[in-house]
Amino acid sequence: MDPKEEIKSRVDIAELISEYISLKPSGPASFKALCPFHGEKTPSFHVSTDKQIWHCFGCSEGGDCYSFLMKMEGMDFLEALRHLGKKVGVEVKRFDTSVDNERQRLLDLHDLAAKYYRKVLTDSASAEVVRSYVVSRGISAALAEQFGLGYAPDAWDQLTAFLVKRGFPTGEQERAGLVSRRKSGDGVYDRFRNRLMIPLCDQHGNVVGFTARILPATTPSNSAIRSEDEGPKYLNSPETAIYHKGRMLYGLHLAKQSIKREGKAIIVEGNLDVIASHKAGVEHVVGSSGTALTEDQLSLLKRFTNTILFCFDADAAGFKAAQRGIALARSGGFDVRAVVLPSDAGKDPDDAVQKNPDVWKAAVTKSVPIMQFLIERAVAGRDLANVDDKRAVGALLLPELAQISDVVEREHWIQSVADLLRMDTGALRLSLSFEPRSSARPSPVSTRTPTPTIQNLSPVTRNPKPLSATHFSRMEQAADQILGLFLQNHTQRATIVARLTPDLLSTESHRRLYNAMLTEYHASQSTNPAPANYFGALRNRLGTDVSMLELLPLLDRIGISADTFSDSDNPDAAATLVNNVLGVLSQADLDARRRALEADIRRAEAAGDHAEVDRLIRAYHELRS
Ligand SMILES: [Zn+2]
């Protein structure tokens, strides 16, 4: 057994944690406490002695005995290892690199690279022009420090040479995405050159990648700065074992406390918008990097808040990019609002703050419900006395109304739109009943007036079951539950394996975790281990696979929750629960497939492809039966 595992097996996690905070029993093998890592009045910090892990449902921190000490005492891994080793009588001779893992190496590399770029920016003579550029963007020294801004020098091999000297071979640098291999295959060169370096951090503040901004062309006297024809405005790290664009929210590590305090998160497009917003004192803000929000990003945000404010500039180019994310957030039960910049404030929050920080602050406090924003957008520049304009506005707003799943809220907006269009609410409701409801249609606002031929379908098709406001979180909860039941009840595993396919789970992370659970299940099936052993083996499997490590917090969260709702000594109760949750998941899947078919049918109808319509309608009826 390697020292890391041996020490861990001897440490009692509850005993260790109770040296720091007071734990109260909350089950046969679990404790809870007020979380030491975020302010709270009711305990959401849980410790499982079976599983030897801890997890806080308030701030999502969690892990094993090592991560507790690292967080509590600010130790690094090796210090925590030695500290606990001493406690339980296991000698840690020297740092064994096999104990370490690739992920930690990649994080170390990024940490080092960020420090290097930072040092070049602050100290190097060659960075003078960049320093003035940063100042010209209104970024103070303190802000630059807080966000770790740096400068990649205009050279091909400075970073790579520095990293080699610090003990990181070029192959590792390449896997970290910091260098690229020469076309000849011989040697590597710095990926980022002559750019402003903006570190991308995970929610805990570890640097996991970079986005690098091209420097604006300057006067010929600045011969060191020549950048116009050197690639895209922003160059990003490639996807690596530690960096996944779709799971990252820029600035979350600096915003999460403030998001909790304010009860909302503002989504802006650019990284510089985030920095500018901090400058204006508005800190509950994260950057989406200009793409639509993904389910993984939303589920990350959901841990901190239920309210999202999307920011749109007056010309609304940002709106198009955000549409899918808005639809997803609305169907996910988020309260979605819009922050609208006044037309003279500039094109984005960064511009607005440059001109006047108070304009941004005011825009944020004056956020409006997303529906109100959509209505104002739809009406802008149209004459509602003109019947064509009126029809166009209706066509824009009907799909939006159809997406509102909360009945009271829906009634409110139906009334508003009816008043606006001088229409009877009954007539509006009738048109609405032909509107499909979809969890995430790609471009809701640009959707044409729905074709009335949908009436030809059966009554059930015309009234698909609405997605409830909490659909998204309910699906995630169901995914948590079924995986928790799998962990907790070895008697139920065979049933779950037979009936649960990964695609029934709502997030990519849940699907990946389930695949790992299946692998471990098949590997250990002959021994049929008890829940605690299965959990330990699975946790070890994830902990030693660099591509799986990021799933550990999810596993811990699920494992700890399972302690609270499932009793492994009561197989009958577990069987009932398994059956119920599987029912919820398959029904949701069926609904989703039905909605997809409905959309296909409408598309085929619009295209006049009658044979395809017939085929799809047959498939639809098969699905229903
Ligand atoms: Zn906490």
Side-chain angles (χ1 to χ4, degrees):
M1 204 187 277
D2 73 41
K4 181 184 170 198
E5 288 308 312
E6 180 164 12
I7 291 168
K8 201 158 126 180
S9 71
R10 295 195 196 183
V11 169
D12 177 347
I13 191 145
E15 203 178 296
L16 171 71
I17 294 179
S18 63
E19 286 175 25
Y20 298 87
I21 55 176
S22 88
L23 294 177
K24 291 195 187 70
S26 67
S30 54
F31 295 89
K32 60 182 177 181
L34 292 174
C35 177
F37 306 124
H38 83 278
E40 61 174 0
K41 294 202 177 71
T42 48
S44 41
F45 181 95
H46 290 251
V47 180
S48 169
T49 52
D50 267 358
K51 304 187 172 79
Q52 288 291 307
I53 53 166
W54 60 280
H55 183 82
C56 172
F57 290 95
C59 63
S60 312
E61 294 289 351
D64 56 13
C65 51
Y66 301 112
S67 42
F68 181 79
L69 273 183
M70 287 159 77
K71 182 99 184 120
M72 195 76 203
E73 296 271 17
M75 295 175 174
D76 65 24
F77 176 73
L78 186 57
E79 287 167 335
L81 190 72
R82 290 210 173 103
H83 176 88
L84 288 175
K86 209 180 281 171
K87 235 179 157 75
V88 297
V90 175
E91 198 190 343
V92 182
K93 287 198 188 76
R94 54 175 190 86
F95 190 46
D96 176 358
T97 47
S98 71
V99 172
D100 208 351
N101 53 55
E102 165 110 356
R103 181 183 161 86
Q104 194 54 51
R105 295 280 293 175
L106 295 188
L107 288 175
D108 289 349
L109 254 174
H110 277 84
D111 182 55
L112 203 55
K115 283 179 178 145
Y116 173 82
Y117 292 138
R118 177 92 196 113
K119 179 108 178 110
V120 175
L121 178 67
T122 52
D123 295 359
S124 161
S126 71
E128 184 51 45
V129 184
V130 195
R131 284 194 289 274
S132 356
Y133 171 68
V134 170
V135 170
S136 77
R137 299 285 305 220
I139 300 172
S140 67
L143 266 182
E145 173 73 37
Q146 191 184 13
F147 284 89
L149 301 189
Y151 172 54
D154 192 11
W156 293 91
D157 58 359
Q158 297 214 345
L159 179 75
T160 180
F162 168 77
L163 293 174
V164 164
K165 232 183 292 166
R166 300 293 289 261
F168 292 95
T170 55
E172 221 165 32
Q173 298 177 20
E174 198 185 351
R175 286 201 297 284
L178 295 170
V179 300
S180 307
R181 189 146 295 277
R182 290 185 194 286
K183 282 212 178 72
S184 62
D186 186 22
V188 298
Y189 60 94
D190 292 1
R191 179 182 177 85
F192 303 107
R193 297 174 309 280
N194 192 24
R195 282 172 180 260
L196 176 67
M197 299 303 292
I198 306 174
L200 304 172
C201 297
D202 64 14
Q203 80 215 72
H204 308 293
N206 300 309
V207 179
V208 294
F210 292 94
T211 183
R213 193 192 192 286
I214 205 165
L215 293 161
T218 48
T219 55
S221 65
N222 295 317
S223 54
I225 309 291
R226 42 172 176 72
S227 47
E228 281 140 341
D229 45 26
E230 291 181 13
K233 187 171 172 194
Y234 285 97
L235 182 64
N236 294 320
S237 287
E239 298 264 317
T240 64
I242 59 172
Y243 174 64
H244 305 279
K245 192 169 189 228
R247 277 176 235 153
M248 140 107 220
L249 287 164
Y250 181 72
L252 182 60
H253 65 299
L254 296 172
K256 57 186 182 184
Q257 298 304 335
S258 176
I259 289 174
K260 269 180 176 292
R261 205 168 44 238
E262 299 284 336
K264 46 186 166 287
I266 307 164
I267 316 273
V268 294
E269 231 181 284
N271 303 328
L272 292 174
D273 295 326
V274 173
I275 300 177
S277 183
H278 273 254
K279 184 184 166 199
V282 177
E283 295 179 353
H284 51 299
V285 56
V286 294
S288 65
S289 310
T291 53
L293 286 189
T294 65
E295 284 190 20
D296 281 319
Q297 287 168 324
L298 284 169
S299 103
L300 190 58
L301 272 179
K302 195 107 201 178
R303 299 178 197 168
F304 305 103
T305 185
N306 273 318
T307 304
I308 295 183
L309 277 54
F310 283 91
C311 172
F312 305 111
D313 38 291
D315 72 10
F319 178 71
K320 270 222 109 29
Q323 270 182 0
R324 193 174 187 283
I326 293 172
L328 208 55
R330 288 173 77 192
S331 73
F334 279 97
D335 179 13
V336 180
R337 302 176 64 88
V339 172
V340 186
L341 283 173
S343 53
D344 58 351
K347 63 177 179 7
D348 52 30
D350 185 26
D351 264 11
V353 172
Q354 304 301 337
K355 286 190 180 161
N356 181 358
D358 290 337
V359 169
W360 173 237
K361 270 197 207 157
V364 166
T365 47
K366 284 190 297 207
S367 73
V368 297
I370 194 77
M371 239 356 257
Q372 183 182 329
F373 170 76
L374 295 171
I375 291 173
E376 282 164 14
R377 259 180 65 86
V379 171
R382 293 191 200 267
D383 171 14
L384 290 180
N386 175 314
V387 68
D388 286 337
D389 275 10
K390 195 164 151 174
R391 192 180 295 132
V393 170
L396 287 174
L397 294 179
L398 280 175
E400 300 302 326
L401 286 172
Q403 272 199 37
I404 306 173
S405 36
D406 183 275
V407 180
V408 177
E409 197 197 340
R410 195 150 174 255
E411 274 311 300
H412 171 85
W413 293 113
I414 286 178
Q415 189 67 56
S416 309
V417 173
D419 288 351
L420 186 76
L421 300 178
R422 308 252 160 77
M423 239 175 120
D424 178 63
T425 50
L428 189 58
R429 255 186 223 104
L430 184 68
S431 323
L432 259 183
S433 65
F434 299 131
E435 270 300 317
R437 299 182 196 172
S438 145
S439 60
R441 67 175 68 204
S443 52
V445 164
S446 63
T447 307
R448 297 180 309 109
T449 316
T451 45
T453 45
I454 192 117
Q455 292 167 80
N456 305 337
L457 291 177
S458 71
V460 175
T461 322
R462 271 186 271 141
N463 295 304
K465 201 168 143 218
L467 286 176
S468 92
T470 50
H471 172 82
F472 180 79
S473 55
R474 215 181 55 213
M475 284 306 109
E476 194 175 356
Q477 202 184 8
D480 273 14
Q481 274 184 342
I482 198 68
L483 297 187
L485 285 161
F486 189 99
L487 289 175
Q488 204 79 340
N489 301 277
H490 65 82
T491 55
Q492 298 306 313
R493 286 187 199 137
T495 311
I496 298 175
V497 171
R499 290 180 54 195
L500 181 69
T501 52
D503 58 310
L504 292 182
L505 300 170
S506 63
T507 74
E508 170 73 16
S509 304
H510 282 89
R511 292 188 284 272
R512 292 174 62 210
L513 178 59
Y514 182 48
N515 278 324
M517 289 168 72
L518 288 177
T519 310
E520 182 59 39
Y521 169 76
H522 293 303
S524 65
Q525 211 182 359
S526 51
T527 55
N528 199 14
N533 296 342
Y534 174 80
F535 186 88
L538 178 63
R539 205 171 184 286
N540 208 19
R541 177 180 290 274
L542 299 186
T544 48
D545 179 343
V546 69
S547 66
M548 290 288 171
L549 255 160
E550 60 186 357
L551 296 175
L552 273 182
L554 177 65
L555 174 68
D556 289 352
R557 181 180 92 204
I558 290 173
I560 293 253
S561 323
D563 278 345
T564 64
F565 70 74
S566 169
D567 176 1
S568 48
D569 297 333
N570 187 346
D572 288 347
T576 310
L577 207 49
V578 164
N579 202 36
N580 291 348
V581 182
L582 284 173
V584 168
L585 289 168
S586 342
Q587 187 58 47
D589 178 57
L590 213 56
D591 288 348
R593 279 196 280 160
R594 203 181 56 204
R595 279 193 301 273
L597 263 180
E598 284 163 11
D600 289 347
I601 292 173
R602 277 190 301 279
R603 218 169 294 135
E605 277 177 346
D609 186 345
H610 299 296
E612 180 68 358
V613 171
D614 283 350
R615 191 188 68 77
L616 290 167
I617 287 182
R618 268 198 307 279
Y620 184 86
H621 286 300
E622 261 166 46
L623 194 64
R624 273 189 60 211
S625 55

